[in-house]
Amino acid sequence: MNTVLIILAFLCFLVGIVATFTPVPPAVPVAWLGLLLARLGGVAISTSMLVWTAVIGVALMVLDYIIPLLTTKQFGGTKWGVRGCMVGLLVAVIGLPFGPSGLVGVFFWPFVGAFVGEYIQKQELRPALRSAWGAFIGIMTGSLAKVVYALVLIVIVLVKLF
C-alpha cells in the first residue's frame, strides 16, 4: 500500500469538502480524485465502484446548477426570478476567482439574482424575497449534497482500509 497516495487521497477529500463552498476548485471531481488516488494507493476499490461514484458525481454536478432554479420556482418565483437566479449562478461561478465577493458570492449572487429578477417582474418586495429565499435554499441543498458525497467517499475508503 502506497502511504503517500493514501494521504493525498484524504487531502483531496478535505479539499473537496472545503471546495463545496467555492466553485474553484470543483468539489465533486476533487473528492472523486481522492477515491481514485486511494485505489492507486492499494485500497481495494473496484472499477464498478469508481464508475458508479463518477456517474453519481456528474449527476450531482448537474443538479448543483438545477436545484437552485427549481427551488426558486417552487418558492413562487416567476421566469424572471429563475432567470435572475441563473444569472447569479453564472456571476458566482465566473466572478468568484476574480472578484472581491469571496466565499460569500457562491450564496449571495444567486440570491441577489433571483431577488432582482423577481422584483423587476412583480415590483413587490415580499414575492421577490420569497423567490430569493428559494434560490438560497437550493444553493444550500446542493452544497449539503456535495459534502455528503465527499463524506461517503471517505467512508468507502475507510471501510476498505480497515
Side-chain angles (χ1 to χ4, degrees), residues 100-135:
S101 63
L103 219 45
V104 177
V106 175
F107 304 102
F108 178 73
W109 290 118
F111 179 89
V112 168
F115 176 82
V116 169
E118 200 63 38
Y119 193 77
I120 288 171
Q121 173 69 19
K122 292 187 178 178
Q123 300 290 314
E124 294 180 26
L125 186 62
R126 192 169 183 83
L129 283 173
R130 185 169 166 86
S131 177
W133 179 248

Side-chain angles (χ1 to χ4, degrees), residues 44-79:
I45 297 170
S46 68
T47 303
S48 64
M49 176 70 76
L50 283 174
V51 169
W52 279 110
T53 55
V55 168
I56 291 168
V58 169
L60 185 58
M61 289 171 52
V62 170
L63 286 173
D64 196 35
Y65 293 101
I66 294 173
I67 290 172
L69 305 177
L70 294 175
T71 54
T72 299
K73 181 94 173 144
Q74 188 175 16
F75 275 69
T78 62
K79 288 180 184 178

Side-chain angles (χ1 to χ4, degrees), residues 127-147:
L129 283 173
R130 185 169 166 86
S131 177
W133 179 248
F136 180 75
I137 295 294
I139 291 291
M140 292 304 292
T141 302
S143 296
L144 177 64
K146 289 186 287 189
V147 168

